[in-house]
Amino acid sequence: MLSKDSKIYVAGHRGLVGSAIWNNLRARGYDNLIGRTHSELDLTDQQAVRDFFDRERPDAVVLAAAFVGGIMANSLYRADFIMQNMLIQCNVIGEAYRHGVKKLLFLGSTCIYPKNAPQPMTEDCLLTSPLEYTNEEYAIAKIAGLKMCESYNLQYGTNYIAVMPTNLYGPNDNFHLENSHVMPAMIRKIYLAKLIHDGDWTTIRRDMDQRPVEGIDGQSDRNDILNVLAHYGISDNRVSLWGTGTPLREFLWSEDMADASVHILLNVDFSDIIGIERYSSVHYGAAVDGAVDRDHTAGRGGALPQLGEIRNCHINVGTGRELTIRQLAKLVAQTVGFEGDIVFDTTKPDGTMRKLINVDKLHRLGWTHKVEIEEGVRRLFEWYREGLFTF
């Protein structure tokens, strides 16, 4: 287990999950934390990442940084989604190994699973059939990341764990309409439609100032604001959402995800996942003065070949519970106090129809979620609304 004075680098510490992991570690007494914003450290720049590891030499790494977005963003920026994420992962995982990092936690996504995987999806569903087209590039990048962790462990005896969270939501979520996920986008759309109906232009302008849409902010002409919001399906007491509303989705509160992540970081080793008690005592390749002695190959592979194929060592993180997008919209409307119309644009894609994960492995490793969806939606809306008046 990492000691309280271990130096832990949280990549993506300002993001939805990274910030929650940072706070969770601090609450547990881990104060020797390192974080860098994108402007301070571009994780797609290999030399910059190497220089950072040379200077800081962390004992552990949490890789929560990623290039992310919803269906629209995934469709528009396909090359960016695969390239940016692959660069981040290769640079951070590669330098973690080169610098002898003791423990690494890699955060992926359950979009790694096939579009038509049996439900609920176990870890063994990976790579059994085609992916959902709308997020294929992001999924492929995340599959590569978890396979990097697995492969480094098997070849070099490292202790890199990959966790695959379901749909996340919570404080510091992304509410920008162009590239947000379904939950924050829905909350913002429904709230703005209510504000337009109520004639609350003070709050509407605060909202647009905080998160401009296509260059339109709170100082823009009222008609310009209404026109750009209408483009995203937001009007007086009416909201249009993508798809049929029938897809089923599972959601996990981000602070629950952080708690699960820290639990795994501190208490779970690769040997626990694959069931080899003494695996962690076997290391293939030694870090020497910040560089790997690649000539140290004696016994590489060790006893592993006789154990057969070792794969799917990642861990699903979720609730094991689901609801339809239409049910979620009703829940958000009730929470916001919206009494207008919610319509579904069936000319737009639904994405994967069902994405429920099996969390038996996670439960066996000693962790279960705490925040249910009703409480989580209320908390997220309150966080969003309070932010408008502290901006």
Side-chain angles (χ1 to χ4, degrees):
M1 183 171 176
L2 295 169
S3 64
K4 292 293 177 67
D5 60 353
S6 296
K7 181 180 283 191
I8 303 174
Y9 169 45
V10 182
H13 74 294
R14 293 279 186 86
L16 173 64
V17 185
S19 62
I21 289 174
W22 181 284
N23 293 335
N24 191 287
L25 283 166
R26 290 291 297 271
R28 294 175 186 242
Y30 289 83
D31 294 320
N32 193 7
L33 305 180
I34 319 165
R36 294 290 185 274
T37 64
H38 177 72
S39 62
E40 293 170 331
L41 175 60
D42 180 0
L43 293 178
T44 67
D45 183 334
Q46 184 180 32
Q47 189 60 54
V49 175
R50 178 164 295 185
D51 291 344
F52 168 78
F53 274 82
D54 283 345
R55 287 192 307 272
E56 298 294 344
R57 298 186 177 277
D59 299 302
V61 171
V62 176
L63 181 43
F67 187 79
V68 299
I71 291 177
M72 183 185 295
N74 274 272
S75 299
L76 292 174
Y77 309 116
R78 300 183 75 89
D80 289 343
F81 270 89
I82 192 165
M83 180 60 79
Q84 298 295 318
N85 284 298
M86 287 295 295
L87 286 171
I88 290 169
Q89 294 162 191
C90 288
N91 290 340
V92 174
I93 295 173
E95 292 307 317
Y97 170 61
R98 184 174 180 272
H99 289 80
V101 165
K102 298 174 185 176
K103 192 77 175 282
L104 182 142
L105 187 73
F106 171 73
L107 276 68
S109 165
T110 53
C111 72
I112 62 169
Y113 292 119
K115 179 176 182 176
N116 297 315
Q119 306 286 324
M121 300 178 291
T122 66
E123 288 83 357
D124 290 338
C125 291
L126 184 67
L127 297 176
T128 56
S129 61
L131 299 164
E132 160 59 40
Y133 179 74
T134 57
N135 60 15
E136 192 173 48
E137 282 72 19
Y138 181 75
I140 288 172
K142 289 301 177 181
I143 291 169
L146 75 87
K147 283 296 182 182
M148 286 178 68
C149 293
E150 184 177 280
S151 300
Y152 268 83
N153 292 343
L154 294 175
Q155 182 171 346
Y156 295 117
T158 51
N159 198 10
Y160 301 166
I161 311 297
V163 292
M164 298 297 124
T166 189
N167 301 288
L168 299 172
Y169 67 108
N172 296 314
D173 217 330
N174 174 15
F175 286 83
H176 290 277
L177 297 178
E178 295 98 324
N179 58 8
S180 61
H181 285 122
V182 60
M183 172 87 75
M186 191 180 290
I187 287 176
R188 188 180 183 193
K189 284 183 174 185
I190 290 174
Y191 187 44
L192 281 169
K194 179 181 186 299
L195 293 174
I196 293 171
H197 183 70
D198 294 343
D200 187 352
W201 277 93
T202 298
T203 306
I204 292 170
R205 291 187 182 280
R206 283 178 176 271
D207 177 281
M208 297 296 291
D209 269 336
Q210 189 162 348
R211 299 175 181 88
V213 181
E214 296 184 6
I216 303 298
D217 60 20
Q219 310 309 308
S220 300
D221 180 78
R222 182 177 295 195
N223 286 332
D224 290 339
I225 293 174
L226 290 173
N227 287 336
V228 76
L229 292 182
H231 178 70
Y232 288 90
I234 305 163
S235 56
D236 184 347
N237 230 24
R238 186 179 186 275
V239 173
S240 176
L241 302 176
W242 277 31
T244 63
T246 58
L248 288 156
R249 289 291 181 271
E250 173 185 15
F251 293 94
L252 179 67
W253 182 244
S254 61
E255 291 172 335
D256 268 357
M257 174 58 194
D259 194 62
S261 298
V262 175
H263 171 81
I264 291 167
L265 179 70
L266 300 180
N267 301 297
V268 178
D269 293 322
F270 187 62
S271 57
D272 299 319
I273 298 170
I274 64 175
I276 303 175
E277 292 182 3
R278 299 190 63 187
Y279 175 83
S280 58
S281 67
V282 181
H283 295 277
Y284 313 114
V288 180
D289 295 331
V292 172
D293 175 8
R294 298 190 185 280
D295 293 326
H296 181 75
T297 57
R300 179 172 292 174
L304 296 179
Q306 65 211 53
L307 296 171
E309 295 181 350
I310 295 176
R311 54 161 56 98
N312 302 332
C313 303
H314 55 285
I315 304 167
N316 287 340
V317 183
T319 66
R321 302 177 183 182
E322 61 187 344
L323 76 168
T324 67
I325 296 298
R326 188 178 296 273
Q327 288 172 325
L328 176 63
K330 289 181 179 179
L331 176 59
V332 170
Q334 290 170 0
T335 304
V336 170
F338 177 75
E339 297 179 349
D341 297 323
I342 297 176
V343 299
F344 288 86
D345 183 353
T346 58
T347 67
K348 298 294 193 296
D350 273 323
T352 305
M353 292 306 294
R354 194 181 184 203
K355 287 178 60 178
L356 180 66
I357 57 172
N358 180 296
V359 289
D360 289 349
K361 181 188 287 189
L362 178 66
H363 291 172
R364 288 196 301 271
L365 293 169
W367 191 89
T368 304
H369 79 282
K370 301 173 182 65
V371 178
E372 299 296 351
I373 187 69
E374 294 81 6
E375 179 185 356
V377 168
R378 177 183 57 77
R379 285 195 197 180
L380 183 58
F381 175 58
E382 288 176 354
W383 181 89
Y384 177 73
R385 186 172 54 182
E386 287 170 5
L388 296 178
F389 294 94
T390 57
F391 176 62

